[in-house]
């Protein structure tokens, strides 16, 4: 097995035994990143010189038996929405100037740096992370590792493609309406949107409390490890949660025996799900039942909150570009420019009405989880479609939210939600299953996901 095929947990085991070093692992990840870049376009920039220096320092610590932390020497990539000290964060936009000091790390990046991670690159995003696919006027189109003619999804598409192809086992993504889970599902990896506030965010997102930072990894064990590192408070984020009471890695081993699982294949018939997707998810759900979970096919009490989501999302987008003069606005992605215009026409009363919808949805899901530990749905009703388009051709959808009805409701409610790869369609394109738990029960999501991996119920496409 090549070093680029190993998980973070496996790399750390190898460092511990001396089988290989952080320099070897980082070199392999950088070489893989450079090789995949012309075809999939996952990176805004590679940080080879800095990464190799960090890897050499890590190797010295491991030789002395003094690793700096939980991920010392592990190659990591960072979505180009999050600040990385010493390097520009352009957010997929030609309106952001690259010059400047760039002297600060985002909280999640800072925690990784403290724990010895090796930063190998910044990954692509649509402009300001505004949509569920990854293309931008700045960096072009990011493509699916299973079929470069297809989209990698978004907005954390570069991170998903990088992890799927072995360019670092850990990546930081952001998720405001599915932006970790959508590309993770399309690319066949694991992605977690933690409970809002579990991972601090700074600078604050213009999309407000819809936006979460989350792990994108090869499996649930790596995600638990990463969440143990980044899920710590930071004084710059006033909405950050206190530290979790225990380790997420330590909580992985409980299995699903006795858990109450609600399986909703189509949110009560509201979503048309492709047969291959429905069949793969149903097989995995049957596996949960065989592993001892109490599974009931039932639906949460919710109607599609897309209008409320659009109010909050479009309003946030308008705020992002509010200070741009007309000549700079002309540089924006046309779709972003369009939703910014819609957002600028909203009133405070429109916004507060959307907040009312959000609070009621949160109430209903809170009551739902008094009966069920987990909700299981498809992550997406489809597999990856043509690259460079916001919506599938012929779908009739106007915006990306039309084909992501399973993801954005749980940004409104701030619940933890993860996607697990559970199969592939006839074209070899990955299919994702979504696990959702009550707020603050990230441990349950990770535990159930780990059980799916342990039972051999995961597969991310050919």
């Amino acid at each position: 097995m090549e070093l680029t095929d190993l998980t973070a947990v496996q790399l750390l085991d190898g460092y511990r035994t001396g089988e290989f070093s952080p320099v070897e692992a980082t070199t392999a990840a950088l070489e893989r990143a450079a090789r995949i870049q012309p075809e999939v376009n996952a990176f805004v920039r590679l940080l080879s010189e800095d990464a190799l220096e960090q890897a050499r320092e890590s190797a010295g610590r491991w030789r002395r038996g003094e690793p700096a932390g939980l991920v010392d020497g592990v190659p990591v990539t960072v979505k180009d929405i999050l600040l990385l000290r010493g390097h520009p964060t352009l957010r997929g936009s030609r309106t952001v100037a690259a010059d400047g000091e760039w002297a600060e790390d985002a909280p999640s990046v800072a925690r990784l740096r403290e724990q010895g991670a090796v930063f190998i690159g910044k990954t692509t995003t649509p402009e300001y992370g505004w949509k569920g696919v990854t293309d931008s006027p700045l960096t072009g189109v990011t493509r699916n590792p299973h079929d470069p003619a297809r989209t990698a999804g978004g907005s954390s598409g570069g991170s998903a493609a990088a992890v799927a192809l072995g360019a670092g086992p850990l990546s930081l993504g952001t998720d405001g309406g599915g932006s970790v889970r959508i590309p993770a599902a399309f690319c066949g990896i694991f992605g977690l949107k933690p409970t809002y506030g579990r991972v601090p965010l700074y600078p604050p997102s213009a999309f407000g409390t819809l936006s979460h930072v989350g792990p994108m990894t090869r499996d649930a064990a790596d995600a638990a490890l990463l969440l143990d590192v980044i899920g710590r408070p930071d004084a710059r984020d006033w909405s950050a949660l206190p530290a979790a009471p225990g380790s997420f890695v330590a909580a992985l081993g409980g299995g699903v025996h006795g858990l109450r699982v609600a399986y909703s294949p189509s949110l009560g018939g509201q979503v048309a799900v492709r047969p291959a997707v429905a069949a793969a998810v149903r097989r995995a759900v049957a596996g949960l039942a065989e592993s001892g979970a109490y599974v009931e096919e039932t639906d949460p009490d919710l109607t599609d909150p897309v209008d409320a989501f659009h109010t909050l999302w479009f309003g946030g987008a308008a705020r992002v570009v509010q200070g741009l003069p007309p000549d700079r606005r002309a540089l924006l992605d046309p779709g972003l420019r369009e939703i910014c215009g819609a957002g600028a026409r909203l009133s405070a009363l429109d916004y507060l009405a959307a907040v009312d919808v959000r609070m009621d949805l949160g109430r209903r899901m809170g009551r739902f989880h008094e009966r069920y530990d987990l909700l299981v749905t498809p992550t997406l009703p489809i597999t990856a479609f043509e690259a460079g388009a916001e919506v599938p051709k012929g779908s009739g959808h106007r915006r990306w939210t039309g084909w992501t009805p399973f993801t954005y409701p749980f940004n409104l409610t701030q619940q933890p939600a993860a996607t697990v790869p559970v199969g592939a369609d006839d074209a070899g394109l990955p299919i994702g299953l979504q696990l959702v738990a009550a707020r603050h029960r990230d441990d349950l999501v990770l535990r159930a996901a780990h059980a799916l991996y342990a039972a051999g119920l995961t597969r991310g496409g050919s």
Side-chain angles (χ1 to χ4, degrees):
M1 183 177 287
E2 296 185 27
L3 289 176
T4 51
D5 295 328
L6 300 182
T7 66
V9 170
Q10 291 168 328
L11 287 177
L12 291 164
D13 286 343
Y15 300 162
R16 202 170 287 114
T17 62
E19 183 181 353
F20 45 78
S21 77
V23 174
E24 292 171 288
T26 299
T27 299
L30 287 167
E31 289 175 350
R32 177 65 61 88
R35 189 156 69 246
I36 67 174
Q37 178 63 8
E39 186 168 42
V40 301
N41 188 32
F43 290 93
V44 176
R45 69 189 64 83
L46 290 172
L47 312 174
S48 302
E49 186 176 332
D50 284 2
L52 289 170
E53 177 60 28
Q54 292 163 14
R56 286 190 286 268
E57 291 172 357
S58 173
R61 293 190 293 269
W62 279 104
R63 281 195 299 272
R64 297 191 300 272
E66 300 173 350
L70 295 176
V71 290
D72 198 347
V74 177
V76 176
T77 57
V78 178
K79 183 181 181 180
D80 201 36
I81 290 287
L82 299 169
L83 295 178
L84 177 66
R85 190 178 74 216
H87 302 280
T89 297
L90 303 181
R91 300 175 173 88
S93 182
R94 293 182 293 176
T95 69
V96 179
D99 56 354
E101 293 186 9
W102 301 104
E104 195 168 19
D105 283 329
S108 51
V109 174
R111 300 295 85 76
L112 280 164
R113 194 183 298 278
E114 291 162 3
Q115 299 274 325
V118 174
F119 299 103
I120 68 168
K122 296 298 289 291
T123 57
T124 52
T125 175
E127 196 162 21
Y128 296 105
W130 80 271
K131 60 183 173 180
V133 294
T134 300
D135 58 72
S136 76
L138 181 68
T139 56
V141 178
T142 297
R143 300 177 180 276
N144 193 292
H146 299 273
D147 179 355
R150 312 280 183 136
T151 180
S155 62
S156 307
S159 288
V163 171
L165 289 169
L170 305 179
S171 193
L172 294 178
T174 63
D175 189 316
S179 289
V180 161
R181 290 160 290 154
I182 295 164
F186 275 178
C187 293
I189 67 166
F190 183 81
L192 171 67
K193 177 186 76 67
T195 300
Y196 178 80
R198 172 54 54 214
V199 181
L201 178 61
Y202 177 86
S205 171
F207 299 109
T209 57
L210 292 173
S211 189
H212 306 226
V213 178
M216 304 182 72
T217 60
R218 303 291 286 273
D219 61 18
D222 270 10
L225 172 66
L226 183 49
L227 192 57
D228 274 344
V229 174
I230 64 176
R232 303 180 184 188
D234 189 289
R236 293 171 291 174
D237 183 352
W238 64 270
S239 63
L241 295 172
S247 163
F248 291 105
V249 169
L252 285 175
V256 296
H257 185 80
L259 291 183
R260 301 162 299 167
V261 176
Y263 168 44
S264 178
S266 62
L267 296 180
Q270 296 182 76
V271 183
V273 179
R274 286 189 185 168
V277 173
V281 173
R282 188 174 289 276
R283 281 194 299 272
V285 170
L288 290 174
E290 290 168 5
S291 299
Y294 298 111
V295 176
E296 180 182 343
E297 188 167 325
T298 189
D299 303 302
D301 175 26
L302 61 85
T303 53
D304 189 355
V306 69
D307 291 336
F309 180 82
H310 281 168
T311 295
L312 300 172
W313 194 252
F314 295 177
R319 177 63 175 159
V320 167
V321 305
Q322 187 176 26
L324 291 179
D327 62 323
R328 304 296 288 171
R329 281 182 181 248
L331 300 175
L332 295 172
D333 180 326
L336 175 59
R337 200 161 56 238
E338 183 179 326
I339 71 162
C340 288
R345 293 189 291 272
L346 295 167
S347 70
L349 290 177
D350 293 328
Y351 193 91
L352 290 172
V355 171
D356 286 343
V357 170
R358 181 182 194 178
M359 289 191 294
D360 185 59
L361 181 63
R363 175 190 62 81
R364 282 181 279 158
M365 289 307 303
R367 296 298 298 271
F368 183 80
H369 284 290
E370 289 180 334
R371 291 186 59 199
Y372 300 101
D373 299 303
L374 292 166
L375 169 66
V376 175
T377 73
T379 307
L380 297 163
I382 59 175
T383 52
F385 54 90
E386 62 271 18
E390 183 184 345
V391 301
K393 289 179 182 176
S395 67
H397 299 310
R398 180 75 182 90
R399 295 262 79 102
W400 62 272
T401 44
W403 52 271
T404 61
F406 293 111
T407 60
Y408 58 78
F410 304 109
N411 292 82
L412 290 166
T413 62
Q414 303 187 338
Q415 294 171 246
T419 183
V420 183
V422 293
D425 66 10
D426 289 342
L429 297 169
I431 292 165
L433 171 150
Q434 181 174 232
L435 293 161
V436 184
R439 291 174 72 244
H440 313 297
R441 294 311 309 266
D442 306 77
D443 60 317
L444 275 183
V445 170
L446 286 164
R447 177 175 141 195
H450 186 63
L452 285 168
Y453 280 95
L457 296 169
T458 58
R459 185 166 70 93
S462 59

